Amino acid sequence: MRKKLFFGLALAFGSFAFAQDLPTNPEPGKCYVRCVTPDVYENQDVQIMVSPAYKKLKVVPAKYTTVNETVVSKVAGEELAIVPAEYGTETFEVVTKEASQRLVKVPSQKSRDTETVVVKEASYRLKLVPAVYETRTFDVVTRPAYQKVEIVPAVYETRDVVIMVKEASQRLEVIPAEWGKETVTYKKREYGSSISVVKASFSSDFETIEVKPAAAEWQMSEIPPADCNSSNPDDCRYWCYKAIPAQNEIVPVQRLAADASSVRTPDCDPNNNGGKPCGEGTFTRTIMVTPASTRVIPIPEVTKTIKKTVMVTPPTTRVIDVPAEIKTMKRRVMVTPPTTERVEIPAVTETVKKTIITNESTRVEDIPSTSKTFKKTVMTSAPSTRTIPISQKEATLKTTKLVEDSRVVETEIPAVYKTVTKEVLTKKGGLTTWKEVDCKLLTYNNLNINWNLGSATLTEAAKREIDSKLLPILQSGVSVEIASHTDSRGTASSNEALSQRRAQAVTNYLISKGINASKIVSNGYGERRLLNRCKDGVSCTEREHLANRRTQFRVLDQK
């Protein structure tokens, strides 16, 4: 009963196949493949936002600079400096013995002189009566009386006399200024603010993109029914119109849960600084509490006691009379003059030497005072003070100044899109047509691909081989099988897997070139279809093994 059912089903499919029209005007020796016009798809690029746009905040910290600030560490003031009195040395004379006088006796002066003394007076005589003469004596003062002065010397006594050798003066004593300390507050550091960034937060999600829509195609069973009576087993195979489900691509995406934000916090809060202002420093400054002054200290005069001779009684004189000296001389004196005839008789004179004595006298001679020269220190200028300005002292303190407060640089991070290529059906196929093909393509054709040992990666040379030999055939609308084989070296399972990966690598490359995946069947046969004797346990050359390592393609007859 089962055999009859399968036979009836096969007969139904066979009658369906033969009911289709064959190619018109076929040429002998030509091969035709019945193609079902494919659905025409157009690849469209769809952009999926896998990561949303968000803000990225970057904190630029506050900029500070260190500045040397000059402050007054000691205020300006004044000091008094004593300008000492100027003293000069003067010489002065102290009369140790006052001026006086003394009388110097001027002795009488004796001088010799000649005097003609008439010893006989002129007379006349009478010739007749001679004169009567007589001799008389007379006194001649040879030294007149004079007075002699006798000096009574002055009376002196020695006394103690106090003299001033240094005048009284003054000196100034400076009462120095009183200084105190003062604590001064200054701005030592300026504070900015710190910014903390709360990064954007994301949530993970997925988006499903239909990259290939659902379709359907005829597929022939690989094994014919066991009770097939036809010499051609393809006549008994089953044809099924199988649905090809849509192909979806799940793209992981990120959703923006919260954008980036920033929180500004002052670097110093007075509330957290014990209530003290932030950034204040103190330094100690010297200030003048009481200015300098002076007080006057008298300097007494300096005296010296010396001996001084003082005249108590001035010198005087007393007069002593010295009597005149007289010499008695004789002379003849006419007593009776002659008479009768007067005969002039000249006087007879005699030269007499006499001593003339002048009276003694005194002359006053001044006795100069006796003085002694002393040196004394005299204050030429009184002591004074001069004001010496005390310049203020400055100290250099390092202070931190805020140049620029912290800020937030906002950078827009653009959304990240992923381009997904999806196939969009632009023209529905499904019509059966006949297409002339090279008869050789209906059997397996080798692709000149030299795979690296154990690798399933296409080289650039392999890609050029596919582009030139296989891609144009697929672009004509036919379906092909990609078959990959290995040699017998290695285990059968590993060879099977390796050949399948290589066949799939060719398929993936064709899909990347725009070929619909439904047009490609990829099969890996491993070491099941060896072309020569080189099976397991047989020693072969490398050339013989190379013949088995092959990748082939053939056009499939879509009946």
Side-chain angles (χ1 to χ4, degrees):
M1 186 65 183
R2 180 182 290 181
K3 292 183 180 178
K4 291 182 179 179
L5 182 60
F6 279 114
F7 179 76
L9 187 59
L11 183 62
F13 276 106
S15 62
F16 174 78
F18 284 110
Q20 300 296 325
D21 293 332
L22 293 173
T24 59
N25 300 320
E27 294 183 16
K30 299 284 187 176
C31 292
Y32 299 89
V33 62
R34 185 167 51 188
C35 301
V36 178
T37 56
D39 294 336
V40 178
Y41 291 91
E42 183 182 73
N43 289 337
Q44 289 184 357
D45 291 337
V46 178
Q47 285 191 333
I48 303 298
M49 185 174 64
V50 296
S51 179
Y54 65 96
K55 290 186 296 185
K56 187 175 182 180
L57 303 180
K58 178 182 178 182
V59 176
V60 179
K63 293 181 180 179
Y64 296 90
T65 183
T66 300
V67 179
N68 290 332
E69 185 174 336
T70 302
V71 297
V72 177
S73 61
K74 184 176 182 180
V75 297
E78 291 182 348
E79 281 188 351
L80 295 178
I82 293 179
V83 179
E86 294 183 3
Y87 294 91
T89 302
E90 289 184 356
T91 57
F92 67 97
E93 291 184 351
V94 176
V95 178
T96 57
K97 187 177 181 181
E98 292 182 344
S100 61
Q101 294 177 339
R102 66 181 174 185
L103 296 177
V104 179
K105 183 169 69 175
V106 180
S108 59
Q109 299 290 325
K110 292 182 180 180
S111 62
R112 288 286 184 178
D113 196 8
T114 58
E115 182 180 358
T116 301
V117 179
V118 178
V119 294
K120 187 178 180 181
E121 294 180 351
S123 63
Y124 61 90
R125 67 183 173 89
L126 293 176
K127 290 181 178 181
L128 293 178
V129 178
V132 177
Y133 295 91
E134 63 179 5
T135 303
R136 295 180 182 176
T137 60
F138 64 94
D139 291 331
V140 176
V141 177
T142 59
R143 190 178 69 181
Y146 66 94
Q147 290 179 334
K148 183 170 68 172
V149 177
E150 186 179 35
I151 296 174
V152 180
V155 178
Y156 296 91
E157 68 179 11
T158 301
R159 297 177 181 173
D160 290 334
V161 178
V162 178
I163 61 172
M164 180 178 62
V165 295
K166 186 175 181 181
E167 292 180 344
S169 61
Q170 294 174 338
R171 68 180 176 90
L172 295 177
E173 185 177 68
V174 172
I175 301 173
E178 293 183 5
W179 297 86
K181 298 292 184 180
E182 180 183 49
T183 301
V184 181
T185 303
Y186 72 101
K187 194 71 174 177
K188 184 177 182 180
R189 175 185 173 88
E190 291 182 352
Y191 283 93
S193 56
S194 299
I195 300 175
S196 59
V197 172
V198 180
K199 295 183 178 179
S201 59
F202 302 91
S203 60
S204 298
D205 200 356
F206 299 92
E207 279 197 17
T208 303
I209 304 298
E210 185 184 87
V211 296
K212 188 174 182 180
E217 66 175 3
W218 287 102
Q219 291 185 1
M220 182 178 62
S221 62
E222 292 185 3
I223 303 174
D227 54 354
C228 181
N229 297 322
S230 175
S231 59
N232 186 1
D234 289 342
D235 292 340
C236 300
R237 295 193 181 183
Y238 306 111
W239 287 87
C240 299
Y241 192 64
K242 290 188 176 181
I244 301 175
Q247 294 184 10
N248 297 324
E249 182 175 338
I250 298 176
V251 180
V253 297
Q254 286 186 331
R255 308 292 184 191
L256 182 64
D259 208 347
S261 61
S262 61
V263 178
R264 184 181 293 273
T265 305
D267 288 342
C268 181
D269 188 356
N271 296 326
N272 298 329
N273 198 32
K276 298 180 181 178
C278 294
E280 282 194 353
T282 59
F283 68 94
T284 303
R285 180 170 64 189
T286 303
I287 59 171
M288 186 168 62
V289 179
T290 305
S293 60
T294 58
R295 62 171 174 266
V296 178
I297 298 176
I299 300 174
E301 64 181 15
V302 178
T303 58
K304 183 178 181 182
T305 303
I306 62 172
K307 298 287 186 180
K308 181 178 180 180
T309 302
V310 181
M311 185 173 62
V312 179
T313 304
T316 59
T317 60
R318 63 175 177 268
V319 180
I320 299 173
D321 292 331
V322 179
E325 291 183 3
I326 301 173
K327 185 178 179 181
T328 302
M329 298 183 66
K330 290 179 178 181
R331 69 178 177 179
R332 189 177 178 185
V333 180
M334 183 176 67
V335 178
T336 303
T339 61
T340 65
E341 186 181 5
R342 191 174 191 170
V343 178
E344 291 290 336
I345 299 170
V348 178
T349 62
E350 184 179 347
T351 301
V352 179
K353 290 183 178 181
K354 67 176 181 178
T355 300
I356 300 173
I357 300 174
T358 60
N359 292 330
E360 284 185 345
S361 63
T362 58
R363 69 173 184 274
V364 178
E365 287 186 355
D366 291 325
I367 300 174
S369 60
T370 302
S371 60
K372 188 174 182 180
T373 301
F374 291 92
K375 287 184 179 180
K376 69 177 179 179
T377 303
V378 181
M379 184 171 63
T380 58
S381 62
S384 62
T385 57
R386 69 172 184 274
T387 302
I388 299 176
I390 300 175
S391 59
Q392 68 180 15
K393 291 184 179 179
E394 297 178 344
T396 301
L397 301 176
K398 286 188 177 181
T399 59
T400 302
K401 298 289 185 182
L402 179 65
V403 178
E404 182 182 356
D405 203 354
S406 58
R407 55 190 174 90
V408 177
V409 177
E410 184 176 298
T411 305
E412 289 288 341
I413 306 298
V416 178
Y417 294 90
K418 181 178 181 180
T419 301
V420 179
T421 302
K422 64 182 291 187
E423 291 183 353
V424 179
L425 181 65
T426 58
K427 184 178 179 181
K428 182 66 177 175
L431 299 177
T432 302
T433 61
W434 292 93
K435 187 176 183 65
E436 182 182 347
V437 295
D438 190 349
C439 294
K440 295 179 180 179
L441 298 178
L442 296 177
T443 60
Y444 285 109
N445 295 268
N446 289 330
L447 288 172
N448 188 20
I449 297 176
N450 293 320
W451 299 98
N452 292 326
L453 184 63
S455 173
T457 302
L458 290 172
T459 64
E460 292 300 321
K463 292 178 181 179
R464 288 194 295 269
E465 174 76 5
I466 296 170
D467 290 344
S468 62
K469 187 177 291 187
L470 183 55
L471 189 58
I473 296 172
L474 282 166
Q475 288 174 343
S476 67
V478 299
S479 299
V480 298
E481 178 194 6
I482 306 298
S484 188
H485 309 269
T486 66
D487 58 28
S488 61
R489 292 177 294 186
T491 63
S493 60
S494 63
N495 287 334
E496 188 86 15
L498 178 60
S499 62
Q500 185 63 47
R501 290 198 306 272
R502 288 174 175 173
Q504 190 62 45
V506 177
T507 300
N508 293 340
Y509 178 71
L510 290 170
I511 293 173
S512 70
K513 289 292 187 177
I515 302 302
N516 196 314
S518 64
K519 295 294 183 181
I520 307 170
V521 177
S522 57
N523 292 315
Y525 295 99
E527 56 181 272
R528 287 183 290 158
R529 295 183 180 183
L530 299 176
L531 298 179
N532 51 30
R533 61 182 182 89
C534 299
K535 58 184 178 180
D536 290 338
V538 178
S539 177
C540 294
T541 64
E542 185 62 34
R543 186 180 183 87
E544 289 174 323
H545 283 303
L546 181 60
N548 292 322
R549 293 197 307 271
R550 66 199 183 278
T551 298
Q552 301 170 315
F553 74 93
R554 72 182 177 93
V555 174
L556 296 177
D557 182 12
Q558 296 184 352
K559 290 184 181 181

